[in-house]
Amino acid sequence: MPKRDFLSISDFDADELTELLRLAARMKRGKYDRKPLKGRTLGMIFTKSSTRTRVSFEVGATQLGGHALFLSSRDIQLGRGEPIKDTARVLSRYLDMIMIRTFDHADVEELARYASVPVINGLTDLSHPCQILADLLTVKESLGGWKGRTVAWIGDGNNMAHSWIEAAAVLGFALRLACPAGYEPDRALLEQYRTAGDITLSHDPAEAARGADVINTDVWASMGQEAEQAEREQAFRGYIVDDRLMALAARDAIFLHCLPAHRGEEVAESVIEGPRSRVWDEAENRLHVQKALMAMLAGMAGEKEEAA
Ligand code: CP
Ligand code: NVA
């Protein structure tokens, strides 16, 4: 199996992302019956909680003919201090692919450097590329594509925002970020990609939402930031995606949220449960895009034209 990792959206170019999403759509239509993971095992290391990522990867591996192993850091020696580089080399002797969700992105990079099998980032403090793949598929299904479209990011300049920034730069759509002062995306990452795309940053949710085709938000305190909840509730006041904000968006605008959501904080109940919300399709699409990703990384996605 050729070694290829997926740690960030920008690990794939525009053609590869397009191919992946086309394959995911084909899998979703039930038009894919290959078993590229037959006899293969995906290891899933988690040092943070998960509902969607864990279940969709496990189900996806099964549907592709393989097996998935849930490896909680509480139970493996990694959690007791065994070095990542040792874990990477040992696990590579058993597994065919590794997915990891953890805090420090550098740990995932180190895992990928020492692993001889493909490594997938299932979320770090820096980025959440698998979620953005699902979001892009949802945008494609709902709006026909992202060409000429504007995505608004309302809220924390967090891992999700970072992966949207990379997607906007690689795929070339407009991204309007509105983040409270002090909670902007990583400055170096933003500067790296800003010039490649049409990406703007403000402190005004209304400015970002006006005319946007996709309104996207996330929790105010991500995993690992629970102690900052009260302080963040103050800083993020006015950043709720409610009907008033949605009214500023384009007429056919959709609402996305990676979930889990906090109703009454970053999103109003009426929006997440409303007609423009696509959050359940978005959650389902995690399964399809990750199956396509695993098939591609396994090097058995089929010929390019078959992905159409
Ligand atoms: N959106 C997402 O990654 O969900 P989980 O934390 O449940 O995996
Ligand atoms: N930004 C959130 C995303 C959860 C899927 C977090 O990191 O907790």
Side-chain angles (χ1 to χ4, degrees), residues 27 37 42-44 46 49-70 97 99 101 120-123 128-135 137 258-259 279-295:
M27 288 173 161
L37 294 192
L42 167 76
M44 309 187 297
F46 283 92
S49 304
S50 171
T51 296
R52 281 143 288 268
T53 304
R54 177 182 175 179
V55 177
S56 57
F57 265 107
E58 185 160 342
V59 169
T62 303
Q63 291 182 1
L64 293 178
H67 177 68
L69 266 182
F70 174 65
M97 209 174 281
M99 191 280 297
R101 164 170 289 196
I120 298 171
N121 173 5
L123 180 147
H128 195 5
C130 291
Q131 182 66 52
I132 298 307
L133 294 178
D135 294 8
L137 180 59
C258 61
L259 306 177
V279 300
W280 315 119
D281 293 331
E282 184 186 3
E284 178 188 334
N285 285 340
R286 291 293 301 276
L287 172 66
H288 307 298
V289 297
Q290 289 158 195
K291 281 172 67 181
L293 174 64
M294 288 190 284

Side-chain angles (χ1 to χ4, degrees), residues 48 101 123-124 128 131 158-160 218-219 221-223 258-260:
K48 286 177 174 173
R101 164 170 289 196
L123 180 147
T124 64
H128 195 5
Q131 182 66 52
N158 63 9
N159 43 12
M160 283 289 298
D218 190 8
V219 291
S222 285
M223 289 180 276
C258 61
L259 306 177

